[in-house]
Amino acid sequence: MGYSFESAVADIIDNSITANAKNIKIYFDIHENRLSLAILDDGLGMDRDTLIEAMRPGSKNPLDNRDKNDLGRFGLGLKTASFSQCRKLTVVSSQNNIKTAALWDLDYVAEQNDWSLQLPEKEELNNLYMIENLEENGTLVIWENTDRIIDDTVVEKTEHIIYEKIQDLQKHLELVFHRYLAGKDKISIYINDSQLKPFDPFFTAHPATDELQKEIIVVNGEKVHIQPYLLPHYTKVSAHDYEYYAGVGGYLKNQGFYVYRNKRLLISGTWFRLIPQSEMYKLARIKIDLPNSLDHLWKIDVKKSHASPPAIIKNRLKKIIEKIAGASTRVYKSKGARLAKSDVAFWERYSARGEIRYTVNKGHPMIDAFVKKLNKEQKYEFSEILDLIADFFPKDTLYADLGNNPKEVVFENIVTDTELEEKALLLYQNKLFTLENLGILNKMEPFSKYTKNWEKFFAEQIQKGKI
């Protein structure tokens, strides 16, 4: 049916939220080489008739008006999500401590050649997984014969796979329901009693996150709220935070639109084919909030994992992208501003006729001093070498490294005052600068990072007789 394990569990949680649950607990256990999985909530619960109706595939008309907080649409989620992962689905619901159960067993359906819903008697419920934790009001969903999660039996290899899937599930739920986990009327979600923490993809808590102008689009009398964000450049956050907020797959994959319906994330990290993913826009993430009354226009599917904006929205999104692209580009260009303005930079940036080139600055004072010591033939050869260095600069490799691991890319090998002093003395001894133009060290990287005083340092060297 196209569900992943984590999207199937999220679909079950949607029902719990719609039922006003405040605590949703996911349990899994490996016992006698079999996987047991249950999703328990403390919501309103269902009586017998409501439960039977909820177990009927296609129990809702997707065109019917729904409560604005309803996260469902087709009346299929409970069944399709469960059948995508298991062959046996049991649901026990409690209202005022009156428990009712119903189960779909696909093996039984095949054997009987009939869609027969089974209704277990009350005494049959005592042995169900986690039934003892079902409270006076709430619902317990149990998956058995989980052949779509793992093979029927659990061995050492599949046990490892299960724990990997649970880790992926945790990350998925912390993202998809982050606004519920952190909101004013927040809910709590647990996996084996470990509480999930919200993952805010927009990093709104950081002061360097740029919250751009919000826009509202009215469609069929309903408001669609669009809020663009630019995440902080890696130079403004800790290494841990930069890696954490990259998200699963990294910044390049997670740029773009994040579509929410009733605070529940449906789609993340897409530009809806309006523009391609780009390194320059990788810090741009745009939140779109839409009401469930516009589901049909956005073509939201049963899994709640696919949507496509209507034409009227796409046209506005294109203009918003243009604004975002400009702001995102400025974040990166501002980092290179010193290169363009410095009169003692080793590299020069040229922009003309739609092309941008970087070349070695042959007029740099130290390069100029070195060239003056060469004869005519040597000057020509050295100039050719500098051009080759510029022409074959490994820009593609650097581009990829900055995109994947920017914190690991080191541009300067000289990091301490002692190393800077040694390098400066060597350059002086080779007559690449004089004491008369000593001031260039204060303007030129990496020597401009010297924390002491260059004039004082060279005065001490003269006094000691070292130069």
Side-chain angles (χ1 to χ4, degrees), residues 139-184:
T139 299
L140 173 66
V141 176
I142 305 169
W143 289 350
E144 298 175 90
N145 298 335
T146 53
D147 59 329
R148 297 302 180 187
I149 301 176
I150 56 163
D151 295 332
D152 282 344
T153 58
V154 177
V155 295
E156 184 177 347
K157 183 178 179 180
T158 52
E159 184 175 339
H160 177 70
I161 293 173
I162 290 171
Y163 282 99
E164 281 188 347
K165 285 180 174 286
I166 295 299
Q167 286 182 339
D168 292 341
L169 173 64
Q170 177 180 332
K171 293 177 182 177
H172 182 77
L173 299 182
E174 288 178 338
L175 170 62
V176 169
F177 297 104
H178 74 93
R179 294 169 71 180
Y180 286 97
L181 295 172
K184 184 178 180 181

Side-chain angles (χ1 to χ4, degrees), residues 48-65:
R48 184 178 184 277
D49 291 342
T50 305
L51 174 59
I52 292 174
E53 179 64 15
M55 293 291 273
R56 181 166 67 89
S59 58
K60 290 182 181 179
N61 184 336
L63 299 180
D64 286 347
N65 291 327

Side-chain angles (χ1 to χ4, degrees), residues 279 393-406 409-411:
E279 184 72 24
F393 182 82
K395 53 185 180 297
D396 292 337
T397 304
L398 179 61
Y399 186 84
D401 288 339
L402 284 173
N404 295 324
N405 304 295
V409 179
V410 179
F411 290 98

Side-chain angles (χ1 to χ4, degrees), residues 33-87:
N33 291 334
R34 288 191 174 272
L35 171 66
S36 299
L37 192 140
I39 303 167
L40 174 70
D41 69 49
D42 59 357
L44 299 174
M46 295 175 280
D47 58 24
R48 184 178 184 277
D49 291 342
T50 305
L51 174 59
I52 292 174
E53 179 64 15
M55 293 291 273
R56 181 166 67 89
S59 58
K60 290 182 181 179
N61 184 336
L63 299 180
D64 286 347
N65 291 327
R66 291 165 289 150
D67 183 273
K68 66 179 183 177
N69 296 317
D70 190 349
L71 295 180
R73 182 186 178 196
F74 298 95
L76 286 167
L78 172 63
K79 286 77 64 176
T80 55
S82 298
F83 294 157
S84 74
Q85 305 298 312
C86 70
R87 301 199 311 274

Side-chain angles (χ1 to χ4, degrees), residues 28-278:
F28 75 98
D29 190 22
I30 300 170
H31 182 65
E32 294 182 352
N33 291 334
R34 288 191 174 272
L35 171 66
S36 299
L37 192 140
I39 303 167
L40 174 70
D41 69 49
D42 59 357
L44 299 174
M46 295 175 280
D47 58 24
R48 184 178 184 277
D49 291 342
T50 305
L51 174 59
I52 292 174
E53 179 64 15
M55 293 291 273
R56 181 166 67 89
S59 58
K60 290 182 181 179
N61 184 336
L63 299 180
D64 286 347
N65 291 327
R66 291 165 289 150
D67 183 273
K68 66 179 183 177
N69 296 317
D70 190 349
L71 295 180
R73 182 186 178 196
F74 298 95
L76 286 167
L78 172 63
K79 286 77 64 176
T80 55
S82 298
F83 294 157
S84 74
Q85 305 298 312
C86 70
R87 301 199 311 274
K88 186 176 180 180
L89 164 66
T90 303
V91 181
V92 186
S93 201
S94 179
Q95 271 194 344
N96 301 319
N97 219 24
I98 300 175
K99 294 180 174 62
T100 306
L103 74 89
W104 280 116
D105 186 336
L106 298 187
D107 293 334
Y108 179 79
V109 168
E111 179 184 316
Q112 298 296 316
N113 196 28
D114 183 70
W115 281 91
S116 300
L117 181 69
Q118 300 179 67
L119 302 174
E121 297 296 330
K122 188 175 181 179
E123 55 271 15
E124 297 179 64
L125 305 183
N126 296 331
N127 294 326
L128 292 176
Y129 181 56
M130 288 295 163
I131 188 66
E132 67 275 10
N133 291 336
L134 181 59
E135 299 180 354
E136 183 177 345
N137 293 292
T139 299
L140 173 66
V141 176
I142 305 169
W143 289 350
E144 298 175 90
N145 298 335
T146 53
D147 59 329
R148 297 302 180 187
I149 301 176
I150 56 163
D151 295 332
D152 282 344
T153 58
V154 177
V155 295
E156 184 177 347
K157 183 178 179 180
T158 52
E159 184 175 339
H160 177 70
I161 293 173
I162 290 171
Y163 282 99
E164 281 188 347
K165 285 180 174 286
I166 295 299
Q167 286 182 339
D168 292 341
L169 173 64
Q170 177 180 332
K171 293 177 182 177
H172 182 77
L173 299 182
E174 288 178 338
L175 170 62
V176 169
F177 297 104
H178 74 93
R179 294 169 71 180
Y180 286 97
L181 295 172
K184 184 178 180 181
D185 301 318
K186 72 176 184 178
I187 63 170
S188 297
I189 301 177
Y190 303 82
I191 297 180
N192 277 6
D193 297 323
S194 177
Q195 189 170 2
L196 272 57
K197 300 177 181 179
F199 176 80
D200 175 11
F202 310 108
F203 203 0
T204 53
H206 197 282
T209 295
D210 195 358
E211 185 174 319
L212 304 182
Q213 184 177 352
K214 184 176 181 179
E215 297 202 23
I216 297 176
I217 302 174
V218 179
V219 181
N220 291 359
E222 299 283 358
K223 293 181 179 179
V224 177
H225 297 262
I226 303 174
Q227 177 63 69
Y229 295 91
L230 282 179
L231 273 62
H233 190 268
Y234 73 87
T235 57
K236 295 186 177 181
V237 294
S238 67
H240 173 270
D241 282 348
Y242 186 80
E243 182 177 351
Y244 178 71
Y245 284 96
V248 178
Y251 285 98
L252 195 63
K253 178 183 176 182
N254 292 314
Q255 64 184 275
F257 295 108
Y258 285 65
V259 181
Y260 294 79
R261 186 186 65 178
N262 299 341
K263 299 188 298 182
R264 196 266 203 205
L265 182 63
L266 300 179
I267 310 291
S268 64
T270 177
W271 290 115
F272 293 122
R273 299 184 179 179
L274 297 175
I275 60 170
Q277 288 184 327
S278 166

Side-chain angles (χ1 to χ4, degrees), residues 352-372:
R353 297 185 298 277
E355 294 181 346
I356 297 174
R357 296 173 57 247
Y358 289 86
T359 63
V360 177
N361 178 13
K362 296 178 182 179
H364 188 282
M366 289 190 179
I367 293 178
D368 184 59
F370 177 75
V371 169
K372 287 178 179 178

Side-chain angles (χ1 to χ4, degrees), residues 4-16:
S4 64
F5 170 60
E6 53 266 26
S7 66
V9 174
D11 219 334
I12 304 299
I13 291 177
D14 287 340
N15 294 332
S16 298

